[in-house]
Amino acid sequence: MSARCYQIILESVSKTPKPSFNDLKDKLTEAGFELSPRTLQRYLEYIRNKFGFDVRYNKAKNYYYLDE
């Protein structure tokens, strides 16, 4: 796991309006990372535990957001 990967996820969630899984996957793929739904779950758990940022998923509207 790379710090760059976490940075991309956090930037996408905070700067992109309502990014979906596919939006995050596209951003990470452009940077050379592969992403599956389970891998994203692990990344988000790591971000929450290591950095204290809680990235949530709105299932009804299919997007991720930073819970402040």
Side-chain angles (χ1 to χ4, degrees):
M1 292 187 254
S2 164
R4 179 69 180 135
C5 179
Y6 304 127
Q7 180 183 5
I8 292 168
I9 292 170
L10 287 171
E11 285 177 358
S12 296
V13 171
S14 64
K15 295 180 181 178
T16 304
K18 301 180 180 178
S20 67
F21 171 78
N22 287 331
D23 295 330
L24 295 176
K25 183 177 180 178
D26 290 346
K27 293 271 188 187
L28 289 168
T29 300
E30 288 172 13
F33 298 99
E34 291 186 29
L35 188 68
S36 70
R38 179 63 185 126
T39 301
L40 179 59
Q41 288 176 350
R42 284 192 286 265
Y43 287 170
L44 297 180
E45 183 177 333
Y46 183 85
I47 289 169
R48 184 180 313 108
N49 293 331
K50 182 75 173 177
F51 306 112
F53 294 107
D54 195 13
V55 178
R56 300 281 182 136
Y57 179 66
N58 182 323
K59 190 173 183 177
K61 296 185 180 182
N62 186 35
Y63 70 86
Y64 290 87
Y65 63 97
L66 193 58
D67 191 15
E68 298 185 35

